Amino acid sequence: MPKIGFADLVELYRHITFDGDGGGSLHVASQRVVDVMRLAEVDQATYDLTQISLIDADEPLAVGSDVRVNVASPNRRLGELVRDFDALFRAPGSSFEEPDDYYVIDPGYARGDEPLPEVLLRYRSLLLVVAVLKEAATYVGVLERELVFIDDEKIVVPIAFSAADLPASIESDAARLRRLFDDPLHGDEKSGLVSAAVIEKVRGIRRADRFRHLIGSLDQVCDEVEKGYRLFVSSFSYSKIRKEIETARLEYIGKIHKTIVDIQGQLLGIPVAMIVVASQLKRSVGCGAAFWTNCAVLLGAWVFVGLLWVAVRNQRHTLDAIGAEVAGQKGRLERDHAAVRDDFIGTFHDLEDRIGWHRTALRIVFVLALAGGLLATAAFLMLSERGSAACLLPS
């Protein structure tokens, strides 16, 4: 049995002249139309799915012929067949999302056709608005097609509208509202502002007319929400920002200083190592004990330099990570609290200076250790008899 899809029904609908009484005249434009109609006539499951049948079963059915048919809405698993866009807007679930598949008899539009009708563009903008209202509502009645807002009283807004209720401005107003919510920052506060604006706008309106009134005055709702959000941002606790930044400053200072504290044992070992090397190196003759002692001291010096290089390198990576965190905090300050940026930006500059100073200090420490290793090597060479390198070769 061939599988019937909504695309097959659309092909039929496009060639039906509907009479408005649940039927019409079908022009059989292709063999596929013939196959679908014959299947619907002989198979009850197909008829139940498509809800289309011949008025006169004996009427000849061939490509190019015209036949009278009964047409009803198909099973919703396939799609929606509606008289006009107003009927589409009344379809179950269409208040919250556009149906997956549908055919609108007037003007003969199926989802996916181009160009898009203006009313469909407005409807899709309306759905963006409804999505925002759903987030702001206290309760959403999907089956009841209503939004419930609760403040000092319960405000019910039934989602009922027609094509005539969708103003040309709804596309720009929906874009304004969505832009506000594109940034997730303060999402709960923004939803609260939307809820308050909706309640104020529809409070005195008859229940059945509330949604139409809300859509008609959506620009005013956007104004109220935007003004409320600007006021919220401007009144954001200054002391809270200062406390957060001061806490972060102390935390970062502790982390920065810890990069030196963690290797202070190795740092204190630099002068000790220099003293040990200076006191232990002796003039050697041939391959005697003094030569091998000098070799051990020199090897120990370079092992110390290597270990110190590893420690300094790890601490440099730690400073880089701290620097990235500081830069992120600085960016958030400039983005989220631009109005008080100048009051706190100096804190981040100070932290950046501290990080730079510690990087320089670590670099100097390693240079000193490297210089000590080179001096120890020079002293070893000066104190060793010429030709002593032969002692290191296998005999």
Side-chain angles (χ1 to χ4, degrees), residues 277-302 371-392:
V277 170
S279 62
Q280 294 298 315
L281 287 178
K282 307 295 183 181
R283 180 171 296 281
S284 63
V285 178
C287 299
F291 173 79
W292 293 109
T293 300
N294 289 348
C295 288
V297 171
L298 181 62
L299 177 62
W302 280 109
L374 293 174
L375 287 174
T377 301
F380 171 82
L381 295 174
M382 292 174 59
L383 295 173
S384 299
E385 184 182 25
R386 186 180 300 275
S388 295
C391 298
L392 300 174

Side-chain angles (χ1 to χ4, degrees), residues 319-340:
L319 286 175
D320 291 341
I322 296 172
E325 291 183 21
V326 171
Q329 287 273 26
K330 180 181 176 182
R332 283 191 288 275
L333 171 69
E334 295 177 333
R335 181 178 65 253
D336 299 340
H337 310 297
V340 295

